[in-house]
Amino acid sequence: MKKPLSIFMMLMLVLGILAACGAPERETGTKSTNETKDKDKAAEEAKPEKLIVWEDIDKAVALKPAIESFEKEYGIKVEFQELNMADKMRDQLRLDGPAGNAPDVVTLPHDQIGQVVIEGLIQEINVSDDVLQTFTESSVSAQMYDGKLFGLPKATETPVFIYNKALMSEAPKTMDELYTQAKELTKGDQYGFLALWDNFYFAHGVIAGMGGYVFNQTDKGLDPKDLGLNNIGAIKGAEYIQKWYKEGLFPKGIIGDNGGSTKDGLFNQGKVASVMDGPWAFQGMKDAGIDIGISEIPTLPNGEHMKTFMGVKGWNVTAFTKNPYWSTKLVEWLTNEENAKIRFELTQEIPPVKTLIEDPIITENEGAKAVAVQSQYAVPMPNIPEMAEVWEPAASALQTIATGKAEPKAAMDDAVKTIETNITTNHPSK
């Protein structure tokens, strides 16, 4: 086996992650031209007394210092409200926008962008090349829809490999090595490795790593008419997933809606040597007294890395603001290098800011480092509305595969047929 790249070099690679997603279209004007336009827009839009921001729940600790410095710099008061991003942010905006109670800036997961753009809830933003160059290309790409930019990235996450150091001395380099260890460690209620591969969010890493894909990436964006969930690679990925269930390496209790809590419980009880999970799981494991190690996910049997889904949280300007220029300036401020670093220090949310990827604050943090390295192989979750038609059919197929009720090819063929039908029915314009 070749000697692995140094961590520093691996982190440097993240700057060009997911080139296949395509570099976002950017303004070609010179810096002086951008500055002139910026001044013109500032002159056209009077400085407001106040801007309102909706932040994700329990994250205001990082927002406060950024707001304070923005207020000092521009003399504009900024108020904020915390909402649950996953459940309430978009729904609340749908209600408050037409009622005239919408904020100027919101934070949204990137996979919601396509739908909220179609609904007219957020608006395109215009920033200079200098601003865009702050971030990794894939994170900027995740904030784009139909060739236009609708936000700036504040944090990124993707699943990684987490292991209990009391049960596993180091992370294996390949899934073949992990499979061998799992066979040895799985006895009674003890397991060597667990993953929620009946959940498409996690299973995508295997399926895409084997050659499958959700929607084909074209020069014009994702093509919802070109699905790759039942191609040869996807079927091989599904067969690999089924292998772990068939051989009893995954317990029946981690299939379905309660799978996540069952997996977490077993790991936090010290009954599981390793898992595939995201950075949101780190603290709970540590609180349970588990001495965890964290690394990128081992390579698949075909020698490829798992192409895990990457989520990018961003700051977006609402379509209802009366101050789009100053709202955009606030978004730029919240995501600049200084405030991104503060956010990581206070929330452990990993910023896709190029300079920080090389910073000791990231390189010396095992969890952040693992996410950064794995991110170079990750794929942003599709942010087009048609993605809503994928989750349920894919999960149903994976559950029948996991339980042995269907063979991988038949299950994935059925899933693709259902997805295609739903897209045709619910998105006729496509």
Side-chain angles (χ1 to χ4, degrees):
M1 180 181 295
K2 294 181 179 179
K3 183 177 180 181
L5 290 172
S6 68
I7 293 299
F8 177 79
M9 289 302 295
M10 294 181 79
L11 293 172
M12 286 293 286
L13 287 174
V14 79
L15 306 185
I17 56 177
L18 303 175
C21 296
E25 296 177 12
R26 298 180 174 175
E27 296 178 11
T28 56
T30 63
K31 183 177 179 182
S32 59
T33 301
N34 286 331
E35 289 176 343
T36 299
K37 291 179 179 179
D38 201 47
K39 290 177 181 178
D40 290 343
K41 290 178 181 177
E44 292 173 5
E45 184 179 301
K47 186 179 293 188
E49 292 183 7
K50 179 177 68 176
L51 294 172
I52 299 175
V53 178
W54 282 358
E55 168 67 292
D56 194 17
I57 195 164
D58 296 330
K59 303 299 183 185
V61 63
L63 184 62
K64 290 177 182 178
I67 284 176
E68 290 174 2
S69 59
F70 179 84
E71 291 176 337
K72 184 177 180 181
E73 178 73 15
Y74 293 106
I76 300 173
K77 177 72 175 175
V78 180
E79 296 181 357
F80 69 89
Q81 180 181 354
E82 287 186 318
L83 284 84
N84 188 312
M85 178 188 290
D87 301 327
K88 296 181 180 179
M89 195 82 69
R90 181 174 57 180
D91 292 343
Q92 196 65 41
L93 190 57
R94 287 167 174 159
L95 296 174
D96 287 0
N101 299 318
D104 301 281
V105 172
V106 294
T107 182
L108 295 168
H110 85 272
D111 55 313
Q112 291 185 6
I113 287 178
Q115 187 61 41
V116 296
V117 168
I118 289 174
E119 293 182 32
L121 301 180
I122 63 173
Q123 62 180 280
E124 179 184 6
I125 65 171
N126 295 297
V127 301
S128 71
D129 252 1
D130 289 344
V131 171
L132 289 182
Q133 288 293 343
T134 303
F135 313 99
T136 59
E137 287 190 353
S138 62
S139 66
V140 173
S141 176
Q143 294 296 311
M144 300 188 74
Y145 177 73
D146 200 23
K148 299 176 182 179
L149 183 69
F150 287 91
L152 292 178
K154 72 169 183 176
T156 185
E157 61 187 20
T158 196
V160 290
F161 183 77
I162 310 169
Y163 60 100
N164 183 337
K165 292 182 178 180
L167 304 175
M168 185 176 286
S169 60
E170 61 181 2
K173 299 299 181 185
T174 69
M175 288 300 296
D176 284 341
E177 293 176 43
L178 179 59
Y179 173 77
T180 299
Q181 291 183 42
K183 293 280 282 186
E184 296 171 352
L185 293 170
T186 301
K187 298 173 183 176
D189 63 351
Q190 300 286 323
Y191 297 91
F193 172 68
L194 295 182
L196 300 179
W197 283 345
D198 68 317
N199 179 323
F200 184 59
Y201 175 79
F202 293 100
H204 177 271
V206 179
I207 290 171
M210 291 288 199
Y213 57 87
V214 183
F215 304 119
N216 188 35
Q217 179 72 44
T218 71
D219 292 340
K220 298 181 179 179
L222 295 169
D223 183 357
K225 295 182 179 179
D226 186 348
L227 286 129
L229 292 178
N230 63 339
N231 66 12
I232 294 175
I235 302 305
K236 287 182 178 178
E239 290 172 345
Y240 184 72
I241 286 171
Q242 189 178 62
K243 172 183 176 181
W244 286 77
Y245 289 94
K246 257 187 179 180
E247 299 190 15
L249 298 176
F250 291 172
K252 294 180 180 179
I254 70 164
I255 295 176
D257 294 339
N258 297 322
S261 58
T262 301
K263 173 186 63 65
D264 294 345
L266 289 170
F267 187 85
N268 291 344
Q269 292 169 35
K271 296 181 177 180
V272 182
S274 62
V275 294
M276 175 184 180
D277 215 329
W280 52 84
F282 298 165
Q283 193 58 50
M285 294 169 171
K286 293 175 182 177
D287 290 345
I290 306 297
D291 184 12
I292 59 173
I294 311 166
S295 77
E296 69 272 23
I297 301 174
T299 56
L300 290 161
N302 63 353
E304 298 293 328
H305 291 275
M306 281 199 194
K307 293 184 179 180
T308 50
F309 268 144
M310 179 172 70
V312 181
K313 295 178 182 178
W315 288 110
N316 312 94
V317 175
T318 73
F320 309 100
T321 181
K322 296 178 181 178
N323 305 286
Y325 171 80
W326 290 107
S327 295
T328 300
K329 296 302 288 184
L330 177 57
V331 167
E332 292 179 7
W333 191 268
L334 295 177
T335 56
N336 68 27
E337 180 182 350
E338 180 181 354
N339 288 316
K341 187 171 183 176
I342 292 171
R343 174 167 287 273
F344 175 73
E345 291 173 330
L346 297 177
T347 68
Q348 294 298 291
E349 289 184 304
I350 301 165
V353 172
K354 292 178 182 178
T355 53
L356 293 183
I357 292 169
E358 307 167 33
D359 194 290
I361 195 172
I362 298 291
T363 61
E364 295 177 6
N365 181 302
E366 188 177 26
K369 180 173 64 180
V371 172
V373 174
Q374 181 62 37
S375 290
Q376 68 183 300
Y377 315 117
V379 178
M381 282 185 290
N383 66 3
I384 60 176
E386 289 83 356
M387 186 61 189
E389 314 302 339
V390 173
W391 297 107
E392 187 174 341
S396 296
L398 289 165
Q399 288 181 20
T400 60
I401 289 168
T403 56
K405 294 179 180 178
E407 290 303 309
K409 186 178 188 310
M412 299 307 285
D413 283 344
D414 286 344
V416 168
K417 288 178 183 178
T418 301
I419 294 167
E420 290 175 337
T421 298
N422 291 345
I423 288 176
T424 300
T425 302
N426 299 324
H427 309 271
S429 62
K430 298 293 185 177

